[in-house]
Amino acid sequence: MKLRDIRSLVNIEGPARSVSERLARTCHSVDDVRKLAAKRLPRSVFDYIEGGAEDEVSLRRNRSSFADWSFVPRWGAIENLDLGSTVLGEPTALPVILSPTGGTRLFHPDGEVAVARAALAAGIPYGLAHLSTTPMESIAASTPELRRWFNIEPVADKGALQELLDRITRAGYEALLVNVDCRTIGHRERDYRNGFSAPPTLRARTVVEGALHPGWAWGLLRNDAIAFPNLDGTIPAGPMASDPGMWRTLLAGSYEPTGWGDIEDLRRRWQGPIVLKGCVSADDAAIAAGIGIDAVQVSNHGGRQLDHMTSPLDILPEIVERVDGRMEIIVDGGIRRGSDIVKALALGADACAIGRPYLYGLAAAGQDGVSHVVRLLSEEMSRTLMLLGISNIKELRDSGRALLRHRNGMGDKQS
Ligand SMILES: Cc1cc2nc3c(=O)[nH]c(=O)nc-3n(C[C@H](O)[C@H](O)[C@H](O)COP(=O)(O)O)c2cc1C
């Protein structure tokens, strides 16, 4: 080899000119972004994102169910590859939703605003948590064009409910995501073992963790104290917001004896779409369809609530069959690859939602990090569809299970 040939092989990259360029060079998968988030955050805060309930069987199963399905690609021309679809009857650039997550400013000072801006840039909806650390009105003001959904629990006190619904309406939210999986809060033992306290209190351990993660600590200290401004009216604002007692009450959950009657009542009060989040029983899905609910989000809360629970992907075919097109089906839990989204859609979901993946992006690099995660999933979806021989989401959903084989033979007869 001549010196000239060797020189042509050497390609020394200059420093990255932007955060997105640095992410593009270093993070080639959601798991790479996760590792970056793990470095940026104190262990106890990272574990708060990462952990699941009790033995974390639900958490692990969410991920492993995707590996039970393998692709059966077909040969044929790809024409105008397109990931666009609709969700709740409206267009979306990708069949992906950023699912609600509480306490988001703990992970990055730009919190929910950064997530909302990334969702808007990607052309996908974002569900804001009731326990978000930014007021619902500020998200509306920062991203007026965004498809904004709002996450609530069923509420027994109808006066309080109506006040909340009026506020959500005034702030221009399109849809409600109603939790039916939070009668109490799952026992996330990592948090107890880590002594995770919210809000972060200045104990010796916190000081050490902060010193070891100065970027995170500085972001937390130079911004407003973490608070839950969407609860104003329910819980006094101001100094109470940083009272550990209030956090304990919130994190332990407060059971409200609500049932189907309250969902029917909500249907009468809210004119826009309603999604039941955490619905995993085909019987419940059928009842929901019967009372005019628009969609279910098949979910086990990312394995954070009931342990040893079915994974959303495992139960999805049963729900698809029972719902029989009467409402939309969103699925979440364990989605880390574009190919996971393709599998869920082939099994009959209309769209997928993600939680931790975008939080990894947020913790790693704010809005740029969230955008990078959505870009990775979108590129992986495109590549998977190309390799499968599928041009668009409609064709994917029409082809359905013919594209998949279950390792135990489930679904083979449909092919
Ligand atoms: C840190 C964290 C906080 C969450 N907070 C909420 C919440 O306030 N309301 C809610 O309905 N779901 C919440 N979820 C669940 C997500 O909306 C979603 O169902 C779940 O994260 C999906 O699983 P995945 O993380 O594997 O994508 C939270 C999840 C995480 C990781």
Side-chain angles (χ1 to χ4, degrees):
M1 212 185 252
K2 299 205 175 87
L3 188 61
R4 199 179 51 228
D5 299 328
I6 295 174
R7 222 185 295 132
S8 73
L9 289 177
V10 177
N11 177 17
I12 298 171
E13 283 181 329
R17 276 161 304 173
S18 64
V19 177
S20 353
E21 196 178 317
R22 181 166 51 80
L23 290 169
R25 284 188 195 174
T26 54
C27 293
H28 305 288
S29 66
V30 168
D31 196 51
D32 286 343
V33 183
R34 175 183 167 276
K35 287 180 182 135
L36 198 56
K39 280 191 204 146
R40 263 205 104 248
L41 294 176
R43 173 67 191 266
S44 59
V45 179
F46 181 70
D47 268 355
Y48 174 68
I49 296 179
E50 195 73 342
E54 298 180 359
D55 296 318
E56 301 190 336
V57 176
S58 299
L59 179 71
R60 285 192 296 277
R61 183 73 199 131
N62 282 358
R63 191 71 206 108
S64 67
S65 340
F66 284 97
D68 289 342
W69 292 94
S70 328
F71 289 118
V72 184
R74 50 167 74 156
W75 179 242
I78 297 287
E79 283 166 29
N80 306 321
L81 186 70
D82 183 7
L83 301 182
S85 188
T86 60
V87 63
L88 296 184
E90 297 294 329
T92 180
L94 284 178
V96 173
I97 294 126
L98 303 187
S99 205
T101 54
T104 307
R105 277 200 298 114
L106 260 183
F107 317 131
H108 189 281
D110 297 342
E112 292 88 356
V113 170
V115 179
R117 290 195 168 132
L120 177 63
I124 59 175
Y126 171 37
L128 188 71
H130 197 186
L131 288 182
S132 79
T133 48
T134 308
M136 64 176 100
E137 293 81 3
S138 305
I139 299 298
S142 65
T143 47
E145 307 297 324
L146 172 69
R147 291 190 64 191
R148 280 169 278 113
W149 300 358
F150 197 83
N151 172 221
I152 64 168
E153 310 276 318
V155 179
D157 174 344
K158 299 306 169 199
L161 172 66
Q162 194 54 53
E163 254 179 53
L164 178 62
L165 294 179
D166 291 343
R167 184 174 169 191
I168 300 169
T169 306
R170 280 196 303 278
Y173 282 72
E174 168 194 337
L176 290 182
L177 276 165
V178 184
N179 288 119
V180 288
D181 56 2
C182 292
R183 286 187 199 94
T184 185
I185 297 295
H187 203 250
R188 293 192 292 270
E189 293 168 14
R190 291 195 206 204
D191 294 346
Y192 304 118
R193 281 186 210 110
N194 287 332
F196 178 78
S197 72
T201 44
L202 279 182
R203 293 172 307 150
R205 184 188 177 122
T206 325
V207 173
V208 172
E209 284 196 328
L212 292 174
H213 301 86
W216 173 82
W218 176 239
L220 194 72
L221 292 175
R222 82 186 147 84
N223 280 284
D224 296 341
I226 302 288
F228 298 116
N230 296 325
L231 299 179
D232 291 0
T234 319
I235 289 193
M240 264 296 280
S242 51
D243 168 11
M246 182 206 79
W247 282 75
R248 260 195 305 277
T249 313
L250 284 173
L251 296 180
S254 53
Y255 174 62
E256 296 229 14
T258 49
W260 280 111
D262 299 278
I263 305 292
E264 287 176 282
D265 174 71
L266 193 61
R267 177 65 292 175
R268 286 190 290 273
R269 290 170 189 268
W270 179 260
Q271 310 307 316
I274 297 180
V275 183
L276 279 199
K277 181 172 186 286
C279 177
V280 288
S281 131
D283 290 342
D284 281 356
I287 297 173
I291 60 175
I293 297 301
D294 301 272
V296 283
Q297 183 159 329
V298 184
S299 168
N300 61 19
H301 219 97
R304 295 167 78 78
Q305 287 290 96
L306 178 64
D307 201 15
H308 294 272
M309 187 166 157
T310 177
S311 86
L313 196 77
D314 285 346
I315 204 79
L316 176 66
E318 202 176 311
I319 297 197
V320 169
E321 194 177 334
R322 185 74 75 85
V323 164
D324 195 22
R326 283 178 294 160
M327 61 179 170
E328 292 190 23
I329 298 173
I330 300 166
V331 69
D332 80 24
I335 291 162
R336 301 292 180 267
R337 290 278 185 189
S339 56
D340 297 335
I341 300 170
V342 171
K343 286 179 184 177
L345 265 60
L347 288 173
D350 294 274
C352 290
I354 54 168
R356 292 180 185 85
Y358 80 78
L359 290 181
Y360 299 148
L362 179 72
Q367 182 183 338
D368 287 322
V370 179
S371 293
H372 187 64
V373 162
V374 177
R375 195 174 312 119
L376 283 170
L377 293 175
S378 154
E379 287 169 3
E380 287 171 355
M381 274 189 80
S382 296
R383 200 162 40 244
T384 305
L385 290 187
M386 282 284 272
L387 292 171
L388 275 176
I390 297 287
S391 303
N392 56 54
I393 301 301
K394 181 174 182 316
E395 193 186 335
L396 169 62
R397 299 192 70 248
D398 289 348
S399 308
R401 282 207 200 176
L403 296 167
L404 294 174
R405 285 293 177 282
H406 191 271
R407 73 187 171 95
N408 298 332
M410 256 171 73
D412 284 357
K413 60 184 187 308
Q414 279 88 351
S415 58

